[in-house]
Amino acid sequence: MAASDELRFPEFEEAAELLAAAPGATTASASERPSHTALDVGPGYEEAEPGEDADNAELLGGQKQKQPRSFWTFEYYQAFFDVDTHQVLDRIKGSVTPLPGRNFVRHHLRNNPDLYGPFWICATLVFALAISGNLSHLPEKRASPSFHYSPQFHKVTIAATVVYCYAWLVPLALWGYLRWRQGSGARAGTYSFLETVCVYGYSLFAYIPAAVLWLIPAAWLQWLLLAVAALLSASVLALTFWPLVRADGRAAALALLAAVVALHALLAVCCKLYFFQRPPSAGPAPSPLHATLGTEPHRSRAPQHFANLSQAASSRQ
Amino acid sequence: MAAAEGSGVGGAAKPLFAGLSDVSISEDIPVEGEITVPVGSQSPDEDYSTLDEPVRDTIMRDLKAVGKKFVHVMYPKKSSALLRDWDLWGPLVLCVSLALMLQDGSADSKDDGGPQFAEVFVIIWFGAVVITLNSKLLGGTISFFQSLCVLGYCVLPLTVAMLVCRLVLLAGSGTVSFIVRLIVVIAMFGWSTLASTAFLADSQPPNRKALVVYPIFLFYFVISWMILTFTPQ
């Protein structure tokens, strides 16, 4: 009947042709291209929506899918915090063990840089510097009779400014330089900005135990700790950036690496000199455990202990 | 179309729904009435009942809510009352009182002393906001203000520690007082961290709990440090 023609399901000739051409292909839904179903992708596939055609081609190899989200949404930043506890611990361990075969970015980050590590390592370093710098004044001030302890809270602000500026501006400069070299035709590769920030953030971890151990008032030990920490973290940085600039010519590569290492060591030296200043009448002080006890004058033991030590110090000098 | 199909099937002369177009409501059928939906009384309507009550009731209700949360913090159990009805009055009161008690710390110069009022305020609120953002970015299911509420209320043990420290410092500032203050501050720091962890840890994915707990630990550690290093002039 004429009226019932309108009700008949119109066959799509195109689909019939495709089915005839590939009889074994499965068709999932109308919005997917037929080639989509043949992809065998990694674990990141479950998050993919069917409509995302552009990114599906890059899913081979099991890499995480980076959907181009807007800068202003919350999910954009959630992608930078996609790490588990064991991953963070693994990256921290990797930042203090420079092995020549392992590139920190390729081996530990694996295209999943995070901002959790850099941010909280920097925060811990800020407070470690401020607190142990404050504590280190205690035994040294204790020896002088005009002892007056002050918390010196403004040093937290200074430490925060220095550490966070280092952790963001130096990677920015390095990333900009590498981009420029890449753009001007040199065969140098580059990392993304986030990976550079991530490497620098994790490399600052080596300074945290150094800052805490600088409480021990032996000067040679402090400089030794500084050297060890700076050497470990700077060599991790150098090993990370060496493959990028290796193709650039020996002189330029060595100059860049020297600049990276020098800046890193400079940060450590400046922090040590500023936060752990030695007062003018320096001398080997008693251990901090003794020093944090109170200043009651009627305790017979403590002033004698100090008197002995200050005599020893003056005789040694 | 349906009429045509029906007529094709049945073969009857009368189409099926042909009479519908002729239906009209006659005037003498009353089409009016009352529809009453029984109002569910699970949650009492605020605007409905609290407009006429005395002011004392209004204030006491809020005060009781704040007091109940204080009790929850001092005896942390896994109850969801703290999370459900969040408010920021308690954190504000605690933060202001802690900042006031940390005033007139020792200072040789203006710069060299303890934290100023604004610094304490900023550290507590900005620190709480950063921790909340951190836990949300890591995939936590708690809401922003609920987390701020919990972190602010769990400053209560440290405020108590500050009070105790000031009282102990009135008695003297020697070795014994330092040891007493150290013990009190360490105990209250542990209490604060455990209380806030008890409330917040459940809302995190299980393989990231340590990542969320560490900033909370650091936050209360810094506040404890400020309390411990307070020395009056």
Side-chain angles (χ1 to χ4, degrees), chain A residues 77-98:
Chain A
Y77 299 100
Q78 231 168 0
F80 303 149
F81 280 77
D82 204 3
V83 279
D84 294 337
T85 311
H86 70 275
Q87 279 178 316
V88 171
L89 291 176
D90 182 50
R91 290 174 187 191
I92 289 177
K93 273 200 288 263
S95 74
V96 286
T97 54

mmCIF file of all heavy atoms in Angstrom, chain A residues 77-98:
data_model
loop_
_atom_site.group_PDB
_atom_site.id
_atom_site.type_symbol
_atom_site.label_atom_id
_atom_site.label_comp_id
_atom_site.label_asym_id
_atom_site.label_seq_id
_atom_site.Cartn_x
_atom_site.Cartn_y
_atom_site.Cartn_z
ATOM 1 N N TYR A 77 43.339 20.162 35.467
ATOM 2 C CA TYR A 77 44.394 20.070 36.467
ATOM 3 C C TYR A 77 44.419 18.723 37.146
ATOM 4 O O TYR A 77 45.430 18.315 37.686
ATOM 5 C CB TYR A 77 44.222 21.175 37.507
ATOM 6 C CG TYR A 77 44.325 22.528 36.881
ATOM 7 C CD1 TYR A 77 43.189 23.257 36.569
ATOM 8 C CD2 TYR A 77 45.559 23.063 36.571
ATOM 9 C CE1 TYR A 77 43.298 24.483 35.972
ATOM 10 C CE2 TYR A 77 45.669 24.292 35.975
ATOM 11 C CZ TYR A 77 44.541 24.999 35.669
ATOM 12 O OH TYR A 77 44.636 26.211 35.074
ATOM 13 N N GLN A 78 43.302 18.017 37.112
ATOM 14 C CA GLN A 78 43.294 16.697 37.722
ATOM 15 C C GLN A 78 44.215 15.750 36.986
ATOM 16 O O GLN A 78 44.717 14.797 37.561
ATOM 17 C CB GLN A 78 41.870 16.128 37.695
ATOM 18 C CG GLN A 78 41.438 15.652 39.035
ATOM 19 C CD GLN A 78 39.970 15.357 39.099
ATOM 20 O OE1 GLN A 78 39.264 15.517 38.125
ATOM 21 N NE2 GLN A 78 39.520 14.929 40.241
ATOM 22 N N ALA A 79 44.434 16.024 35.706
ATOM 23 C CA ALA A 79 45.335 15.164 34.935
ATOM 24 C C ALA A 79 46.761 15.260 35.447
ATOM 25 O O ALA A 79 47.561 14.359 35.213
ATOM 26 C CB ALA A 79 45.279 15.552 33.457
ATOM 27 N N PHE A 80 47.095 16.348 36.144
ATOM 28 C CA PHE A 80 48.456 16.488 36.638
ATOM 29 C C PHE A 80 48.649 15.824 37.987
ATOM 30 O O PHE A 80 49.724 15.870 38.541
ATOM 31 C CB PHE A 80 48.819 17.965 36.798
ATOM 32 C CG PHE A 80 48.665 18.754 35.541
ATOM 33 C CD1 PHE A 80 48.314 20.081 35.599
ATOM 34 C CD2 PHE A 80 48.859 18.182 34.310
ATOM 35 C CE1 PHE A 80 48.177 20.812 34.446
ATOM 36 C CE2 PHE A 80 48.717 18.900 33.155
ATOM 37 C CZ PHE A 80 48.367 20.228 33.228
ATOM 38 N N PHE A 81 47.594 15.275 38.557
ATOM 39 C CA PHE A 81 47.721 14.680 39.882
ATOM 40 C C PHE A 81 47.366 13.213 39.835
ATOM 41 O O PHE A 81 46.912 12.643 40.810
ATOM 42 C CB PHE A 81 46.793 15.404 40.866
ATOM 43 C CG PHE A 81 47.365 16.690 41.365
ATOM 44 C CD1 PHE A 81 47.356 17.812 40.556
ATOM 45 C CD2 PHE A 81 47.918 16.781 42.616
ATOM 46 C CE1 PHE A 81 47.903 18.996 40.994
ATOM 47 C CE2 PHE A 81 48.451 17.963 43.074
ATOM 48 C CZ PHE A 81 48.442 19.071 42.264
ATOM 49 N N ASP A 82 47.600 12.615 38.685
ATOM 50 C CA ASP A 82 47.149 11.247 38.485
ATOM 51 C C ASP A 82 48.244 10.265 38.866
ATOM 52 O O ASP A 82 48.762 9.533 38.036
ATOM 53 C CB ASP A 82 46.769 11.085 37.017
ATOM 54 C CG ASP A 82 45.785 9.967 36.837
ATOM 55 O OD1 ASP A 82 45.375 9.377 37.851
ATOM 56 O OD2 ASP A 82 45.442 9.672 35.688
ATOM 57 N N VAL A 83 48.621 10.283 40.134
ATOM 58 C CA VAL A 83 49.680 9.381 40.578
ATOM 59 C C VAL A 83 49.231 8.660 41.827
ATOM 60 O O VAL A 83 48.420 9.157 42.584
ATOM 61 C CB VAL A 83 50.982 10.143 40.897
ATOM 62 C CG1 VAL A 83 51.754 10.443 39.664
ATOM 63 C CG2 VAL A 83 50.683 11.392 41.662
ATOM 64 N N ASP A 84 49.802 7.494 42.043
ATOM 65 C CA ASP A 84 49.546 6.750 43.262
ATOM 66 C C ASP A 84 50.722 6.914 44.198
ATOM 67 O O ASP A 84 51.771 7.409 43.829
ATOM 68 C CB ASP A 84 49.344 5.271 42.949
ATOM 69 C CG ASP A 84 48.092 5.043 42.129
ATOM 70 O OD1 ASP A 84 47.209 5.908 42.193
ATOM 71 O OD2 ASP A 84 48.029 4.025 41.430
ATOM 72 N N THR A 85 50.520 6.406 45.425
ATOM 73 C CA THR A 85 51.561 6.568 46.438
ATOM 74 C C THR A 85 52.861 5.913 46.004
ATOM 75 O O THR A 85 53.947 6.497 46.125
ATOM 76 C CB THR A 85 51.085 5.966 47.765
ATOM 77 O OG1 THR A 85 49.792 6.457 48.059
ATOM 78 C CG2 THR A 85 52.027 6.313 48.874
ATOM 79 N N HIS A 86 52.734 4.683 45.508
ATOM 80 C CA HIS A 86 53.980 3.971 45.177
ATOM 81 C C HIS A 86 54.692 4.630 44.015
ATOM 82 O O HIS A 86 55.918 4.577 43.913
ATOM 83 C CB HIS A 86 53.690 2.498 44.895
ATOM 84 C CG HIS A 86 52.949 2.270 43.621
ATOM 85 N ND1 HIS A 86 51.582 2.333 43.530
ATOM 86 C CD2 HIS A 86 53.385 2.011 42.376
ATOM 87 C CE1 HIS A 86 51.217 2.100 42.287
ATOM 88 N NE2 HIS A 86 52.281 1.904 41.562
ATOM 89 N N GLN A 87 53.921 5.292 43.122
ATOM 90 C CA GLN A 87 54.585 5.974 42.012
ATOM 91 C C GLN A 87 55.387 7.163 42.521
ATOM 92 O O GLN A 87 56.513 7.410 42.077
ATOM 93 C CB GLN A 87 53.541 6.478 41.014
ATOM 94 C CG GLN A 87 53.060 5.416 40.072
ATOM 95 C CD GLN A 87 51.998 5.955 39.147
ATOM 96 O OE1 GLN A 87 51.105 6.665 39.580
ATOM 97 N NE2 GLN A 87 52.096 5.609 37.890
ATOM 98 N N VAL A 88 54.801 7.904 43.458
ATOM 99 C CA VAL A 88 55.519 9.056 43.987
ATOM 100 C C VAL A 88 56.780 8.602 44.706
ATOM 101 O O VAL A 88 57.859 9.184 44.541
ATOM 102 C CB VAL A 88 54.604 9.869 44.929
ATOM 103 C CG1 VAL A 88 55.383 10.922 45.661
ATOM 104 C CG2 VAL A 88 53.484 10.502 44.143
ATOM 105 N N LEU A 89 56.657 7.539 45.505
ATOM 106 C CA LEU A 89 57.842 7.051 46.227
ATOM 107 C C LEU A 89 58.900 6.564 45.251
ATOM 108 O O LEU A 89 60.101 6.793 45.445
ATOM 109 C CB LEU A 89 57.432 5.920 47.166
ATOM 110 C CG LEU A 89 56.579 6.365 48.353
ATOM 111 C CD1 LEU A 89 56.142 5.173 49.155
ATOM 112 C CD2 LEU A 89 57.366 7.312 49.228
ATOM 113 N N ASP A 90 58.458 5.924 44.192
ATOM 114 C CA ASP A 90 59.397 5.432 43.189
ATOM 115 C C ASP A 90 60.136 6.595 42.526
ATOM 116 O O ASP A 90 61.346 6.535 42.281
ATOM 117 C CB ASP A 90 58.603 4.629 42.161
ATOM 118 C CG ASP A 90 59.500 4.030 41.109
ATOM 119 O OD1 ASP A 90 60.501 3.397 41.489
ATOM 120 O OD2 ASP A 90 59.210 4.212 39.922
ATOM 121 N N ARG A 91 59.393 7.686 42.225
ATOM 122 C CA ARG A 91 60.040 8.829 41.594
ATOM 123 C C ARG A 91 61.009 9.511 42.541
ATOM 124 O O ARG A 91 62.071 9.980 42.131
ATOM 125 C CB ARG A 91 58.977 9.834 41.142
ATOM 126 C CG ARG A 91 58.200 9.292 39.993
ATOM 127 C CD ARG A 91 57.044 10.170 39.610
ATOM 128 N NE ARG A 91 56.235 9.511 38.601
ATOM 129 C CZ ARG A 91 55.286 10.093 37.913
ATOM 130 N NH1 ARG A 91 55.028 11.360 38.102
ATOM 131 N NH2 ARG A 91 54.596 9.425 37.028
ATOM 132 N N ILE A 92 60.645 9.559 43.823
ATOM 133 C CA ILE A 92 61.573 10.160 44.782
ATOM 134 C C ILE A 92 62.851 9.348 44.857
ATOM 135 O O ILE A 92 63.962 9.897 44.870
ATOM 136 C CB ILE A 92 60.896 10.266 46.162
ATOM 137 C CG1 ILE A 92 59.819 11.338 46.130
ATOM 138 C CG2 ILE A 92 61.891 10.566 47.236
ATOM 139 C CD1 ILE A 92 59.074 11.453 47.411
ATOM 140 N N LYS A 93 62.693 8.021 44.877
ATOM 141 C CA LYS A 93 63.910 7.185 44.916
ATOM 142 C C LYS A 93 64.741 7.395 43.663
ATOM 143 O O LYS A 93 65.966 7.437 43.709
ATOM 144 C CB LYS A 93 63.511 5.716 45.021
ATOM 145 C CG LYS A 93 63.302 5.253 46.437
ATOM 146 C CD LYS A 93 63.401 3.743 46.533
ATOM 147 C CE LYS A 93 62.217 3.076 45.918
ATOM 148 N NZ LYS A 93 61.197 2.693 46.886
ATOM 149 N N GLY A 94 64.065 7.548 42.532
ATOM 150 C CA GLY A 94 64.795 7.729 41.290
ATOM 151 C C GLY A 94 65.504 9.056 41.208
ATOM 152 O O GLY A 94 66.475 9.206 40.467
ATOM 153 N N SER A 95 65.050 10.040 41.993
ATOM 154 C CA SER A 95 65.659 11.356 41.899
ATOM 155 C C SER A 95 66.963 11.445 42.666
ATOM 156 O O SER A 95 67.697 12.405 42.518
ATOM 157 C CB SER A 95 64.701 12.418 42.422
ATOM 158 O OG SER A 95 64.654 12.349 43.824
ATOM 159 N N VAL A 96 67.236 10.462 43.519
ATOM 160 C CA VAL A 96 68.502 10.525 44.250
ATOM 161 C C VAL A 96 69.437 9.404 43.826
ATOM 162 O O VAL A 96 70.498 9.233 44.421
ATOM 163 C CB VAL A 96 68.289 10.449 45.781
ATOM 164 C CG1 VAL A 96 67.745 11.736 46.287
ATOM 165 C CG2 VAL A 96 67.415 9.304 46.157
ATOM 166 N N THR A 97 69.082 8.651 42.829
ATOM 167 C CA THR A 97 69.967 7.584 42.374
ATOM 168 C C THR A 97 70.293 7.816 40.911
ATOM 169 O O THR A 97 69.545 7.420 40.028
ATOM 170 C CB THR A 97 69.293 6.212 42.520
ATOM 171 O OG1 THR A 97 68.043 6.260 41.858
ATOM 172 C CG2 THR A 97 69.110 5.865 43.964
ATOM 173 N N PRO A 98 71.408 8.477 40.633
ATOM 174 C CA PRO A 98 71.764 8.712 39.234
ATOM 175 C C PRO A 98 72.439 7.495 38.616
ATOM 176 O O PRO A 98 73.598 7.228 38.875
ATOM 177 C CB PRO A 98 72.720 9.902 39.324
ATOM 178 C CG PRO A 98 73.312 9.799 40.679
ATOM 179 C CD PRO A 98 72.337 9.119 41.560
#
